[in-house]
Amino acid sequence: MNGLSTVFILVGLFLLGGVYSFWKQKLPKSVITLMAIASAMCLVAGVMRLGVWS
């Protein structure tokens, strides 16, 4: 596991926590959706950079 994949995964988890927090605060759905998409993209990028399938 290299540093960049770790950073992507940590940022994705951080954004996922923000999604949960914004959901509990009843913020607009567009903000929550945008943050959820960004979180998913970071998590996927981090997992893909791990190179487990190579």
Side-chain angles (χ1 to χ4, degrees):
M1 181 185 275
N2 61 14
L4 191 57
S5 64
T6 304
V7 169
F8 276 136
I9 292 171
L10 289 178
V11 168
L13 291 175
F14 176 76
L15 289 174
L16 193 60
V19 168
Y20 178 73
S21 173
F22 283 4
W23 181 267
K24 295 294 263 184
Q25 294 177 31
K26 308 264 194 255
L27 267 81
K29 301 280 190 233
S30 60
V31 174
I32 296 171
T33 303
L34 184 63
M35 197 173 226
I37 291 170
S39 172
M41 288 174 63
C42 282
L43 287 172
V44 167
V47 169
M48 294 298 287
R49 284 200 51 89
L50 286 176
V52 175
W53 299 276
S54 297

